[in-house]
Amino acid sequence: MKRILSGNEAIAWGAWEAGVEVAAAYPGTPSTEILETFAALPDVYAEWATNEKVAMDVAIGAAYAGRRAMTCMKHVGLNVAADSFFYVSMTGIEAGLVIVSADDPAMHSSQNEQDNRNYAKFARVPCLEPSDSQEAKELVAAALDLSEQFDTPVLLRITTRIAHTYSPVETGERQKRPPKVEKFPRNFEKYVMLPVNARRRHPVLEERIAKLQEFAETFPYNRVEMRGAELGIVTCGVAYQYAREVFPDASILRLGMTYPLPRRLITDFAGRVRRLIVLEELDPFLEEGIRNLGIPVEGKSIFPICGEFSPEVVRDAAIAAGLLPESERVVPPNPIKGDLPPRPPVLCPGCPHRGVFYVMKKFKLPVQGDIGCYTLGAMPPLSTIDFCGCMGAGIGVAHGADKAGDPERQIAVIGDSTFFHTGMPALLNMAYNRGKSITVIMDNRVTAMTGHQHNPGTGYTLQGEKTVEIELEPLVRAMGIPHVRTVDAYDLKAVQGAFEEALAKEEPAVIITRRECALLPEARKRYLPLRVDRSKCIACWTCFRVGCPAIRRSDEIFEKNKRQKSDIDPLLCTGCEVCAQVCPQHAILFRAEVAPASEAAGGGA
């Protein structure tokens, strides 16, 4: 039957139909929905792993055990998993293994826009790229077949536009696939990568990629669409759709396998057109491969190397290069004009991180951040984060600055899920190497930024089963941190006291600020909008320093300073009471002052 599926959903369906039994991932935009969809399908095992390397090792283990397996991650996740990616390329597998890399051109939610086709070439692993949701589903099965035929993992590379765009998909039945091996293989030379065995495996790997190169010549998803002979376009992924829209008369070689390249197919196609160009997002991966074949070709001299493509970007570049006449330029419709205020990124109303950053800022110490909601602590008016590189990096950077002799006490900020991801080794290193930085674990009881996924601290698995709920405080103590305090993130006095206590000690310390994400259902039940007593407000605007979107300026003027008094938007306010605590005039009412005690209980400090 036909369904309207996103690329991510289609990949999940493709894995299920192709008989994948085990899948593991760490949530990361734009790949998150693959596992969420797959986990809900019958007769499968799926899990959120603590990081991408662990996820890949889990999938590899299943594939070694003879069950088809999949692991998924955003592009930077493959950096975390790279060690495992390279060893499994060397060993091969027993049953099919597909590794999905979701790249993010234009960095919609990422710290860089790396092109992971380079990883495929680096590790000698075949790379497949779908151009729509139907192909996304089909190429999962093709990847698994390829994986088993050539004894190799296969990289399925998608981009944000493929991951999140919906199109019709023909879905089918699940294949019944008995395990390929009955017992875990005992194959010392193949699976134990001691140098003596690894040396033997490297030529096997090179021989394998040569065979794959020959296979690519007839791979059915490498397809020539001949139209006119004036212009030929080599393309892949979502760029194929832009090529069809912008160059309807051009001949196209659409590559579903972008590594290794089909040399004879490309050479033949190039010989049938007068001008050959490559249309591809990010790196000149295909362009360089074709040029290395001795074929004249253009690509990045025409189209941008940075950012995400769209029909408009491709069309404008083609006009500038003389591939299309000026008359082809499409004038965009006038945007709707209105008095819309600017909306910079900001922590949500009621976010438990807000008050912690407000307190932290008072100490004027360097703060090393991490990837997550709390990264928004870098934005005004909080302006508290001084560094953010990648997941798990903040603790190590703080420790490094400390050991380098930086005279200030270092603070590192990390979330609960991110701490489980890659924060633990860094904190252990700090304890072991006698650092003295302060680590703040912002525990909001969920992996919030990617959409409220479970993690080892929530007590539930991806598939909804109750499981162990890891407590951070005893875990941190066991890692060798002597000074640990857990405080309510909404209680500003307690947060400040925890910082003062930690700063008084010349030893590593951890402050766990705990309060569930304000968007979780159990938190929503306690929403209670606060109010401003205008008779007390002196328009000092201290409350604006917490950066809550629910606080706004009223129409009432305080005559002494001629400024607008504060007001609270009842549609946004959750009643966290952070603003009430910072107000020096007690003009913002606490929960108990705006509602009966039964309603006020449990929400604020």
Side-chain angles (χ1 to χ4, degrees), residues 264-275:
R264 293 197 301 277
L265 186 63
I266 293 171
T267 303
D268 177 71
F269 179 72
R272 297 166 69 184
V273 296
R274 278 187 279 279
R275 188 175 183 181

Side-chain angles (χ1 to χ4, degrees), residues 319-532:
I319 292 170
L323 288 169
L324 293 174
E326 182 63 32
S327 59
E328 289 287 325
R329 192 179 300 279
V330 175
V331 179
N334 289 329
I336 299 173
K337 293 181 179 179
D339 189 20
L340 298 175
R343 299 185 62 183
V346 66
L347 293 168
C348 301
C351 176
H353 304 333
R354 175 173 285 105
V356 180
F357 281 123
Y358 179 82
V359 172
M360 201 181 304
K361 187 177 182 180
K362 293 180 180 179
F363 295 98
K364 299 180 180 178
L365 293 172
V367 178
Q368 318 307 341
D370 219 285
I371 303 287
C373 299
Y374 37 89
T375 309
L376 294 171
M379 305 300 293
L382 297 169
S383 305
T384 311
I385 300 287
D386 297 297
F387 159 83
C388 177
C390 68
M391 293 177 72
I395 298 174
V397 168
H399 178 66
D402 171 31
K403 288 298 181 183
D406 189 280
E408 296 181 287
R409 190 76 177 271
Q410 294 281 324
I411 298 176
V413 171
I414 193 167
D416 49 338
S417 182
T418 316
F419 180 70
F420 293 127
H421 179 276
T422 37
M424 289 168 59
L427 186 65
L428 187 64
N429 177 69
M430 185 191 295
Y432 172 64
N433 286 302
R434 303 168 62 86
K436 63 177 189 304
S437 301
I438 299 169
T439 299
V440 181
I441 304 176
M442 294 183 157
D443 180 10
N444 61 3
R445 313 307 297 159
V446 78
T447 309
M449 198 171 204
T450 48
H452 289 168
Q453 287 77 27
H454 289 295
N455 64 50
T458 67
Y460 290 92
T461 69
L462 167 59
Q463 293 181 299
E465 295 180 345
K466 194 79 179 74
T467 184
V468 294
E469 182 178 338
I470 304 301
E471 286 295 333
L472 286 169
E473 186 162 332
L475 174 64
V476 169
R477 290 187 189 279
M479 295 173 72
I481 302 296
H483 184 81
V484 188
R485 289 289 181 271
T486 300
V487 294
D488 183 345
Y490 283 161
D491 187 341
L492 301 193
K493 286 185 179 176
V495 173
Q496 179 150 342
F499 272 102
E500 290 170 348
E501 194 177 27
L503 287 166
K505 296 178 181 295
E506 286 295 312
E507 61 184 20
V510 168
I511 301 171
I512 301 167
T513 58
R514 175 170 292 178
R515 180 65 81 145
E516 76 268 67
C517 171
L519 299 182
L520 287 172
E522 53 267 36
R524 288 175 181 270
K525 292 176 184 174
R526 295 193 292 273
Y527 280 6
L528 181 62
L530 305 183
R531 292 201 310 272
V532 177

Side-chain angles (χ1 to χ4, degrees), residues 281-293:
E281 285 183 316
L282 300 182
D283 290 356
F285 186 81
L286 301 180
E287 181 185 348
E288 290 178 356
I290 294 170
R291 191 168 288 127
N292 287 340
L293 299 176

Side-chain angles (χ1 to χ4, degrees), residues 59 102 122-123 134 232 305 342 369 400 409 435 477 560:
F122 195 9
Q134 180 68 43
I305 195 170
R409 190 76 177 271
R477 290 187 189 279
K560 286 189 177 178

Side-chain angles (χ1 to χ4, degrees), residues 127-201:
C127 179
L128 307 186
E129 291 193 65
S131 294
D132 56 28
S133 294
Q134 180 68 43
E135 279 194 357
K137 193 207 80 163
E138 294 175 2
L139 283 182
V140 175
L144 291 161
D145 291 342
L146 203 63
S147 175
E148 291 173 355
Q149 182 179 349
F150 290 92
D151 190 19
T152 177
V154 175
L155 187 71
L156 181 68
R157 186 241 190 186
I158 59 173
T159 56
T160 304
R161 207 53 52 180
I162 294 294
H164 291 164
T165 299
Y166 286 77
S167 59
V169 176
E170 186 72 42
T171 58
E173 301 297 320
R174 179 168 168 82
Q175 296 179 26
K176 299 293 183 184
R177 303 187 70 85
K180 291 202 69 174
V181 295
E182 293 185 356
K183 293 182 179 179
F184 195 90
R186 276 72 163 176
N187 190 336
F188 171 76
E189 292 188 355
K190 189 171 190 285
Y191 290 120
V192 182
M193 284 300 97
L194 290 169
V196 62
N197 291 335
R199 291 188 197 107
R200 294 188 183 119
R201 290 297 298 176

